[in-house]
Amino acid sequence: MSHLILVRHGISEYNKKGLWTGWIDVELAPEGYDEAKRAGTTIKDFTFNKAYVANLKRCTETLKEILNVLGQEDLETDVTPALRERNYGDLAGKNKWKIKEEHGDEQFMKWRRGWDEPIPNGESLKDVYDRLVPYYQEHIAPDLEAGKTILVSASGNSLRAMVKYLEKIPDDEISKLEIGTGEVLVYELNDDGSVKSKEVRSTNPKKGKV
């Protein structure tokens, strides 16, 4: 038996302003540090063997706050671009609500939550999935198969891609999945890597609104 705990980073300065962030390397807002600490308090019942984190400040800062809460500051950690947020290309840095006004609800939702909707000079969620899953299979899955307890700190869309893989969510259903800043997903996995149970901790009532 193994456990995989997924944490979305705390709210960032761009999140607060309603800006698409993608690969822009912004820091957590003060409230984001609070969300990270709160996330840490919900998983104090776990002792982790290893952490994986996206190479973006908002993700590494979140992980640092969590590990401080847990008293596991020296935890072995892999920092990787494979877990990066979706590249929003030409939309990065732009206000998502203004984009919604300019392009309409339908196109806005395709860009924001669609599966294989291309963004000019950016990635679709499918692109994120295609770079993330091989990394998961090569690095994270073997740790889980060895019975380890693993912590992942990443962004909304990289976690949506991982959850899609873990829960075998159909392409046409993935748009319904929202993961708020600071939210924690706790998975108990069977020996073959399939999901035995799932629990959501540190839920964010504002998810999908920032």
Side-chain angles (χ1 to χ4, degrees):
M1 181 184 69
S2 60
H3 288 91
L4 173 65
I5 288 78
L6 310 181
V7 182
R8 184 180 174 190
H9 63 76
I11 192 168
S12 72
E13 293 292 351
Y14 267 36
N15 291 141
K16 283 181 65 177
K17 297 174 182 177
L19 305 179
W20 260 311
T21 312
W23 288 8
I24 301 175
D25 201 11
V26 300
E27 297 184 352
L28 292 179
E31 302 94 320
Y33 288 97
D34 292 338
E35 288 182 343
K37 292 173 184 175
R38 193 158 51 247
T41 63
T42 70
I43 50 175
K44 293 185 77 171
D45 50 326
F46 290 102
T47 298
F48 292 94
N49 301 109
K50 191 173 182 179
Y52 291 87
V53 60
N55 64 339
L56 294 168
K57 290 177 184 177
R58 56 195 187 271
C59 301
T60 58
E61 290 170 350
T62 295
L63 178 63
K64 182 178 179 180
E65 292 299 322
I66 290 172
L67 295 182
N68 285 342
V69 169
L70 299 177
Q72 298 185 53
E73 295 90 344
D74 296 329
L75 183 66
E76 179 185 356
T77 300
D78 276 8
V79 183
T80 174
L83 293 174
R84 273 184 170 231
E85 173 61 294
R86 178 184 179 188
N87 181 355
Y88 273 101
D90 292 353
L91 297 181
K94 295 183 178 180
N95 186 285
K96 61 185 68 174
W97 312 122
K98 290 182 179 179
I99 294 294
K100 182 178 181 179
E101 290 177 5
E102 293 171 4
H103 295 273
D105 290 357
E106 183 178 354
Q107 183 59 61
F108 172 77
M109 288 307 297
K110 286 181 179 179
W111 278 333
R112 192 178 190 208
R113 290 289 177 258
W115 167 241
D116 195 14
E117 185 69 21
I119 291 176
N121 298 310
E123 294 180 304
S124 65
L125 182 60
K126 183 178 183 298
D127 292 329
V128 178
Y129 184 96
D130 288 344
R131 66 168 156 87
L132 183 148
V133 170
Y135 180 87
Y136 178 93
Q137 293 172 333
E138 182 177 353
H139 298 277
I140 301 176
D143 284 343
L144 295 167
E145 290 168 4
K148 295 181 179 180
T149 301
I150 301 299
L151 177 61
V152 174
S153 174
S155 298
N157 282 299
S158 52
L159 293 181
R160 289 175 71 232
M162 192 177 296
V163 170
K164 183 182 190 303
Y165 174 75
L166 289 169
E167 299 184 21
K168 298 179 173 57
I169 298 174
D171 297 351
D172 60 356
E173 294 289 323
I174 192 61
S175 63
K176 300 176 184 177
L177 177 63
E178 293 269 8
I179 302 172
T181 57
E183 287 198 342
V184 178
L185 307 181
V186 176
Y187 288 94
E188 182 179 352
L189 303 179
N190 297 306
D191 292 342
D192 63 359
S194 62
V195 175
K196 181 178 181 180
S197 66
K198 173 187 178 181
E199 181 185 0
V200 180
R201 302 186 183 182
S202 190
T203 57
N204 188 335
K206 295 182 179 180
K207 65 181 176 183
K209 299 176 182 179
V210 296

